[in-house]
Amino acid sequence: TLFPYTTLFRSNSLKEHDVYEVTVVDLPPNQKPIGLKWVYRVKLGEPSLEKFKSRIRALGYRQKAGIDFEESFAPTARFESLRTVLSNAAEEKLELVQFDVISAYLNASIKETVYVTQVPGFEDGTKKVLRLKKALYGLRQSGRAFHLKFKEILVGKLALSQSTADPCIFFRNGNDRIIICTYVDDAMLEHDVKPIIKLDNTSTIQI
């Protein structure tokens, strides 16, 4: 099985994205750490091609409102918006590209103080814990944190406007018209010029 290799790769990814403080710390009094677990799956692609994937998840069901998280609501694109984007592309013969963000949640910072246990399989033999700096899959606030980070990039860096009718639609009018419809860590790009987001051959981007 290739899962041990994907686990090592994912563990290195946590460090590369600066997800937690490099050194383990003692748990403050009256605090309880949130557990972590590995989730494995085989993703089927082209015929006879299997992709072994592993992901570290936080046991978010142990979080307490007002302590480990505050707001957890994250908007997703409305189906009406999606149908409008698709029909507009068909009518005006625009190009459509679907893509997702690599290690999406690991790019988003969280403002709450959250402690988690050491990564399973990479413990140092002590009862010390990790203090998170970035979001993890499984945390209740991760979806919202990533949406705010993605919005910051689309509006702040790429100069797109956010729709007032649907907060998950970002656009730019004019000769270089572009529309991006987001749904958690997946998105759809509609454009009539060279894309402003560079995609690799697997339709993924890194932010």
Side-chain angles (χ1 to χ4, degrees), residues 80-99:
E80 294 85 349
S81 300
L82 180 59
R83 286 196 292 267
T84 300
V85 170
L86 292 173
S87 62
N88 183 67
E91 181 178 353
E92 302 193 25
K93 295 181 173 58
L94 302 178
E95 184 174 352
L96 277 174
V97 180
Q98 186 276 333
F99 64 92

Side-chain angles (χ1 to χ4, degrees), residues 127-141:
K127 293 185 178 181
K128 292 188 175 184
V129 296
L130 304 174
R131 179 174 177 174
L132 290 183
K133 299 164 69 176
K134 301 286 185 67
L136 272 182
Y137 289 90
L139 288 183
R140 294 177 181 243
Q141 65 267 49

Side-chain angles (χ1 to χ4, degrees), residues 97-101 150 185-189 197 199 203-205:
V97 180
Q98 186 276 333
F99 64 92
D100 59 11
V101 180
F150 206 16
D185 59 346
D186 291 293
M188 185 167 59
L189 169 68
I197 294 179
L199 303 174
S203 294
T204 59
I205 66 170

Side-chain angles (χ1 to χ4, degrees), residues 27-115:
L27 185 67
N30 302 320
Q31 288 273 3
K32 289 186 178 181
I34 296 171
L36 301 177
K37 72 172 183 178
W38 287 104
V39 177
Y40 304 101
R41 72 188 181 101
V42 178
K43 185 176 182 180
L44 300 179
E46 298 178 8
S48 74
L49 179 62
E50 295 180 341
K51 187 175 182 180
F52 292 80
K53 301 193 69 175
S54 60
R55 173 174 290 169
I56 192 72
R57 291 187 65 91
L59 304 181
Y61 62 85
R62 296 182 179 178
Q63 289 182 268
K64 294 184 179 180
I67 299 177
D68 300 309
F69 74 97
E70 294 179 9
E71 295 181 281
S72 60
F73 170 75
T76 54
R78 299 167 54 191
F79 286 112
E80 294 85 349
S81 300
L82 180 59
R83 286 196 292 267
T84 300
V85 170
L86 292 173
S87 62
N88 183 67
E91 181 178 353
E92 302 193 25
K93 295 181 173 58
L94 302 178
E95 184 174 352
L96 277 174
V97 180
Q98 186 276 333
F99 64 92
D100 59 11
V101 180
I102 299 175
S103 300
Y105 287 3
L106 306 188
N107 293 281
S109 300
I110 57 176
K111 59 183 180 180
E112 300 88 357
T113 300
V114 179
Y115 294 95

Side-chain angles (χ1 to χ4, degrees), residues 182-197:
T182 65
Y183 196 95
V184 194
D185 59 346
D186 291 293
M188 185 167 59
L189 169 68
E190 175 182 313
H191 64 95
D192 57 1
V193 294
K194 184 177 180 181
I196 59 175
I197 294 179

